[in-house]
């Protein structure tokens, strides 16, 4: 399934989705030093940020994901 479909399916069930590309090397990943550039709504980001902080040293929200749609 595409990211757009997954996001729409989750939104229809009241769940949020964060699209979070990772940057750096496998060694950085092992050491929890990834760069994580999350996109999605701020409320969902705030919920998952503690988990992302365990995996990365630079975790930030880069705005709303263009690939995730929410029903009206």
């Amino acid at each position: 399934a595409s990211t757009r479909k997954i996001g729409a399916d989750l939104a229809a069930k009241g769940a949020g989705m964060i699209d979070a590309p990772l940057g750096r090397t496998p060694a950085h990943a092992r050491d929890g030093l990834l760069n994580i550039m999350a996109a999605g709504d701020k409320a969902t980001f705030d919920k998952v940020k503690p988990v992302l902080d365990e995996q990365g040293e630079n975790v930030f929200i880069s705005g709303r994901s263009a690939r995730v749609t929410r029903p009206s």
Side-chain angles (χ1 to χ4, degrees):
S2 71
T3 303
R4 180 174 289 150
K5 180 170 178 356
I6 294 167
D9 290 349
L10 289 170
K13 295 178 178 170
M17 181 174 147
I18 294 293
D19 181 12
L22 308 174
R24 298 188 90 172
T25 67
H28 289 105
R30 281 189 296 276
D31 295 335
L33 301 173
L34 291 169
N35 293 326
I36 303 175
M37 298 130 311
D41 68 80
K42 179 87 164 83
T44 302
F45 174 76
D46 290 343
K47 287 179 187 176
V48 301
K49 189 172 183 307
V51 175
L52 297 177
D53 283 337
E54 293 294 320
Q55 301 169 17
E57 68 174 343
N58 298 306
V59 177
F60 57 93
I61 189 164
S62 61
R64 190 155 183 84
S65 176
R67 293 183 294 251
V68 177
T69 59
R70 290 188 170 259
S72 304

